[in-house]
Amino acid sequence: MSSSSSSSSSSSSSSSSSSSSSSDVPVPTPATETATPPAPPAPPPQPPFTDRLSDVLQKGAKAVTGGNGKAPRRLKTLLSGTWLGHPLHPVITDVPVAAWLIAAVFDVLWLAVPSAAVWAPRGAQTLVGIGLVAALGAFLTGIADWSDTYGAERTVGLYHGLLNSSAIILYAVSTYLRFQQSTGQSTPAAIVGFVGLGAVIVAAYLGGDMVFAKGTAVNHTAWEAAGEDFEAVLPVAEAAENTLYRVTTAGVPVILLRVDAQYYAIAATCGHAGGPLDEGTLTNGVVQCPWHGSRFRLRDGRALTGPATMGQPRYDVRVRDGMIEVKRHGGH
Ligand code: FES
């Protein structure tokens, strides 16, 4: 059976290809397709719209605030809050949020309670104006801080800023409408204010998310441990003058500087966003962070230029038996 089947198959095959088998000369197959050149490589995918928008806005913000300028970058330092020793933005934001919230309460009062129809709209009018002025300060300090962010925190910050900017526009309209009325009473102004307050509340939630979930503006040296006692970190013979050395004590990286017979040491991790100060530039006892340009004085760790707002933890230094020893100043 199998033999017969095989024979039949062979016969069929033979008849269907009789022209080629009769001559035993391979017939060239006519070319039906021409070789196509390889396709050019696909262009890299476009970054998301939010990234492209953030790039443009950050560039503009740095140009305006001097974030890319040379030290001392006074406007950047002013807006960051370096002079205050604390981020300035969260201090200012409390004012418009509180003013607009109380203004909304006053609006509800004069709309719902006839006896409040005189004083409540006046109060709302004043508070909306105060909130508007303070919001401009919050806007400037916020955009100065946001211009140094990256990745997810930058995206959240973008939405945070866009919502707050929308609120500023809404409250500007609301203020204008209120001052068109001698009594301060304007139902459209109150409604626009309610919408603006909604935007502010969502924006405040996102601002909290930036700090508590993403760590924006959190002091990166806050959890650094301090050793119980002095710890030897470097032989004196290896410490050249005016050179930054990265050493470690109690598991914490520290930068060490020798000037003449004096030694100075501060935390090596920049408190602003964690930049490595040992990779920064040293000028006259001041180190500039390689990431965003904050400058710290080695002598006492003080922040001289923003965006950093808090000084670096400083370390006491002594020499024993040819070794440089350090210990966290104050032991905190
Ligand atoms: S990490 Fe931002 S200035 Fe150092």
Side-chain angles (χ1 to χ4, degrees):
M1 252 323 254
S2 96
S3 164
S4 146
S5 171
S6 170
S7 167
S8 161
S9 169
S10 171
S11 161
S12 165
S13 170
S14 172
S15 71
S16 69
S17 58
S18 59
S19 61
S20 63
S21 61
S22 62
S23 63
D24 281 327
V25 175
V27 177
T29 305
T32 55
E33 290 182 15
T34 55
T36 53
Q46 281 257 28
F49 173 73
T50 50
D51 281 357
R52 283 179 282 141
L53 178 60
S54 296
D55 286 344
V56 172
L57 292 178
Q58 283 190 321
K59 203 171 167 187
K62 287 187 175 180
V64 170
T65 63
N68 280 340
K70 289 185 178 161
R73 304 190 301 174
R74 290 195 175 85
L75 183 56
K76 175 78 172 176
T77 300
L78 171 75
L79 294 174
S80 300
T82 313
W83 55 275
L84 186 62
H86 188 284
L88 188 56
H89 180 65
V91 175
I92 295 181
T93 53
D94 285 355
V95 179
V97 172
W100 290 341
L101 188 61
I102 299 171
V105 173
F106 281 6
D107 279 339
V108 170
L109 278 177
W110 73 258
L111 285 168
V113 183
S115 61
V118 175
W119 60 268
R122 290 281 186 219
Q125 191 181 38
T126 304
L127 287 166
V128 165
I130 291 172
L132 195 57
V133 172
L136 293 175
F139 173 81
L140 288 174
T141 53
I143 202 163
D145 289 352
W146 175 76
S147 67
D148 293 320
T149 59
Y150 309 96
E153 62 174 322
R154 182 174 81 153
T155 304
V156 176
L158 177 68
Y159 292 131
H160 169 78
L162 290 177
L163 279 166
N164 276 326
S165 300
S166 305
I168 289 174
I169 294 169
L170 288 168
Y171 274 106
V173 172
S174 180
T175 303
Y176 173 77
L177 292 175
R178 287 170 204 269
F179 279 92
Q180 293 299 102
Q181 306 297 325
S182 58
T183 60
Q185 289 182 348
S186 168
T187 305
I191 293 171
V192 171
F194 294 145
V195 177
L197 184 63
V200 167
I201 290 171
V202 177
Y205 174 87
L206 293 178
D209 188 66
M210 287 180 74
V211 175
F212 299 115
K214 308 280 186 297
T216 306
V218 170
N219 178 6
H220 280 59
T221 64
W223 289 274
E224 287 186 348
E228 298 268 305
D229 205 350
F230 279 94
E231 183 179 342
V233 292
L234 190 72
V236 172
E238 292 182 16
E241 288 213 22
N242 292 310
T243 303
L244 283 179
Y245 291 91
R246 182 186 175 99
V247 297
T248 302
T249 177
V252 176
V254 170
I255 52 172
L256 180 68
L257 175 69
R258 175 183 178 186
V259 180
D260 297 328
Q262 293 290 320
Y263 296 90
Y264 306 103
I266 62 174
T269 302
C270 178
H272 172 242
L277 292 184
D278 50 296
E279 295 176 20
T281 50
L282 178 69
T283 310
N284 297 328
V286 173
V287 62
Q288 178 164 324
C289 179
W291 284 8
H292 309 115
S294 292
R295 296 185 311 139
F296 301 96
R297 194 162 60 195
L298 268 291
R299 175 159 56 86
D300 54 6
R302 183 177 169 195
L304 302 177
T305 304
T309 58
M310 297 171 192
Q312 290 292 102
R314 88 177 153 97
Y315 287 74
D316 296 325
V317 187
R318 73 182 186 187
V319 174
R320 289 283 190 280
D321 301 327
M323 292 294 294
I324 301 170
E325 300 181 347
V326 300
K327 178 177 178 287
R328 175 80 169 258
H329 182 76
H332 303 299

